[in-house]
Amino acid sequence: MRLVKFSRGGLVGEGFLDGDDILLSGGWSEGPVEDAPFTLARLGRDALDKAFRDAHVRIPRSEAKLEAPLDPRAKIICVGINYRDHADEVVSDLPARQQDVVAVEEPLS
């Protein structure tokens, strides 16, 4: 099961990639793609299965543009080189004391 966020004709939707079609789950959002919610990623397996069964609107994949499946309200946490073996794999010269690198992107920031 592949979850997708997509745009078509100035509207944004979320749903499931099903062969050459996208099954729309829920309704459409208006406005910029980056402001449109992506709630499917937060559902558990049973709720996703139900949403898939309830999705009846089919959109040909060729008529839609796949977008980044991000929810603007989600917090994104990125961790850099977080242990010595990994650091040795990606960087040849490290300072004597390597510090952890953590970046947090708050929603709407």
Side-chain angles (χ1 to χ4, degrees):
M1 179 180 300
R2 291 190 179 190
L3 309 179
V4 294
K5 182 176 184 178
F6 63 98
S7 59
R8 179 182 181 220
L11 299 173
V12 182
E14 59 183 324
F16 305 91
L17 195 57
D18 188 36
D20 291 332
D21 293 332
I22 296 172
L23 292 171
L24 176 66
S25 178
W28 294 97
S29 298
E30 294 184 24
V33 170
E34 58 272 6
D35 293 342
F38 186 66
T39 58
L40 289 176
R42 291 184 276 160
L43 298 179
R45 184 63 191 203
D46 290 341
L48 280 173
D49 288 341
K50 181 178 182 335
F52 183 80
R53 287 191 308 273
D54 293 345
H56 298 294
V57 176
R58 285 191 170 273
I59 297 148
R61 166 67 186 91
S62 60
E63 295 180 13
K65 178 184 176 198
L66 293 180
E67 304 288 354
L70 300 173
D71 190 318
R73 298 167 298 212
K75 180 188 289 187
I76 299 172
I77 300 174
C78 301
V79 178
I81 300 170
N82 55 351
Y83 60 94
R84 182 45 119 183
D85 290 342
H86 182 232
D88 290 339
E89 290 173 12
V90 296
V91 180
S92 58
D93 293 322
L94 286 175
R97 182 171 183 263
Q98 176 66 31
Q99 296 184 13
D100 292 336
V101 178
V102 176
V104 177
E105 183 69 30
E106 294 290 337
L108 305 176
S109 63

